[in-house]
Amino acid sequence: MSVDVGLCFQEVGQLGTMLRIGRKLPEQAVVINALFAEGERTRALASAIMRRLALRSIGTLLVELPGFGESPDPLPPRISGWADAVGKAAEVIGARASVTIRGGALVDQAVPEEGRFRFAPASGAALARDLARAAAVERQEAQRPGTPEGIAEEARGTGLRLSGYPVPASLFADLEKAEPLGAAGRVLRLAGDARPADARVGGPLLWRQAEPEEPDALADAIAHDFHAWRMR
Amino acid sequence: MNRSAQADQTLRAILSDVLALSAARTAAITPATRLLGGMPEFDSLAVANVAAEIEERFGIRIADDDLSAEDFGTYGALLDFVRSRSPA
């Protein structure tokens, strides 16, 4: 069986081109992947979700946040740089909804609250800690000094290369204070996570796996939940 | 479920998720189960990931010098650590 849902690359102003599936479908949503190294591990999940949503007549666009993925731009000096990119992308495709993965939830403000779907939302403070901790492990293995707190201080003061990303000081400082803003229409978490959520699904902690497992079952669950929620 | 049992359940879920343990292996964990140095999956990156999940799911902050090898030596030690840091 083959279904023509139309995969294309959508130009979004100065932000470059972004993967888009199902541009003619009646409902459109932006997909915001996790940030930094987590996003590298969940990109396959993001596109698997997008394919499944297209089969449910929901068109999507994967926002290329400045500094990540296929974006031609460097990391922005402030977190608002990412939020602005989301706003422009949502406007271009007429999206009234979003699907975010982990830290993507920190930058979905442009989407109306009732349309925000957040999978495993994380606080900016937690993500900043992760970056500092990963850098500390790297230094330890290279037998160089550095503790997570010391590294965070460096990052805050002068900026630092973290997980291979040249993070400006102002962006790191923003990230440390960032929380998902406003309410979400729906929050979905993994089964083992007791934090507040509207529903939970079973699945692997992909964003923490050095070699992420295949995302298909989790993508099925997320797409199913999103679709059921939108259609209620 | 009381807080103590909830902490145990959450910590087991963290280990299961981070280390990709089977349900059987997760259920078989006892306070005496050795983690760091005992489980092949438990390397320094795993310690960082488990610490991160503990911070996130328990809403506690693990200071750098809190992260001692002893606290990660056995499941019992880690559970005690988490319980002592969790708000009463």
Side-chain angles (χ1 to χ4, degrees):
Chain A
M1 177 205 165
S2 91
V3 178
D4 183 2
V5 292
L7 186 153
C8 67
F9 291 92
Q10 175 71 53
E11 198 175 286
V12 179
Q14 305 297 324
L15 296 166
T17 59
M18 302 186 186
L19 178 69
R20 188 172 180 190
I21 304 185
R23 67 185 174 87
K24 294 181 182 166
L25 294 171
E27 174 159 1
Q28 297 286 321
V30 287
V31 174
I32 314 171
N33 195 12
L35 309 175
F36 297 102
E38 289 194 3
E40 295 164 28
R41 299 177 196 130
T42 60
R43 201 175 174 90
L45 174 66
S47 56
I49 292 168
M50 292 170 71
R51 289 195 302 276
R52 284 153 176 79
L53 289 180
L55 293 173
R56 292 174 167 86
S57 298
I58 297 169
T60 52
L61 175 139
L62 180 62
V63 184
E64 293 294 346
L65 296 176
F68 301 136
E70 304 293 316
S71 166
D73 297 316
L75 286 169
R78 306 300 303 269
I79 206 171
S80 54
W82 286 330
D84 290 346
V86 172
K88 289 196 177 76
E91 195 182 359
V92 163
I93 70 168
R96 307 284 302 156
S98 53
V99 177
T100 70
I101 299 171
R102 290 285 288 171
L106 298 173
V107 293
D108 63 2
Q109 299 92 317
V111 176
E113 273 187 6
E114 64 272 12
R116 296 176 196 159
F117 180 100
R118 293 171 175 165
F119 172 65
S123 71
L127 298 179
R129 288 281 290 160
D130 280 353
L131 284 170
R133 225 183 251 118
V137 170
E138 262 178 58
R139 290 206 189 170
Q140 196 179 35
E141 285 171 0
Q143 275 150 7
R144 287 167 54 212
T147 62
E149 278 160 14
I151 287 164
E153 219 176 283
E154 269 181 77
R156 224 177 277 139
T158 55
L160 201 57
R161 191 161 202 95
L162 297 163
S163 296
Y165 295 93
V167 185
S170 46
L171 182 64
F172 189 83
D174 274 358
L175 187 65
E176 285 189 303
K177 299 193 269 299
E179 292 281 346
L181 287 180
R186 189 162 176 88
V187 173
L188 190 69
R189 293 196 185 270
L190 287 182
D193 191 338
R195 284 174 289 181
D198 297 300
R200 272 163 250 280
V201 289
L205 212 52
L206 288 172
W207 52 94
R208 296 214 183 274
Q209 295 176 339
E211 273 153 49
E213 294 173 33
E214 57 83 28
D216 293 354
L218 182 54
D220 283 343
I222 293 170
H224 174 88
D225 190 85
F226 179 87
H227 178 253
W229 169 60
R230 292 303 285 170
M231 294 302 123
R232 77 205 177 288
Chain B
M1 187 184 294
N2 66 35
R3 293 198 90 89
S4 192
Q6 179 71 69
D8 178 49
Q9 185 176 72
T10 300
L11 187 56
R12 266 172 215 273
I14 289 172
L15 291 179
S16 176
D17 286 347
V18 173
L19 306 175
L21 302 178
S22 69
R25 274 189 78 189
T26 307
I29 292 171
T30 70
T33 302
R34 286 176 62 214
L35 300 177
L36 187 60
M39 228 184 242
E41 298 90 343
F42 224 93
D43 57 15
S44 51
L45 210 49
V47 169
N49 280 326
V50 168
E53 284 299 310
I54 287 172
E55 284 196 341
E56 283 198 53
R57 295 196 205 182
F58 285 101
I60 62 181
R61 173 66 191 249
I62 301 176
D64 291 351
D65 46 22
D66 278 346
L67 266 179
S68 80
E70 287 87 55
D71 292 315
F72 281 87
T74 64
Y75 179 73
L78 192 57
L79 187 55
D80 285 344
F81 175 86
V82 166
R83 282 176 176 152
S84 71
R85 291 286 189 295
S86 295

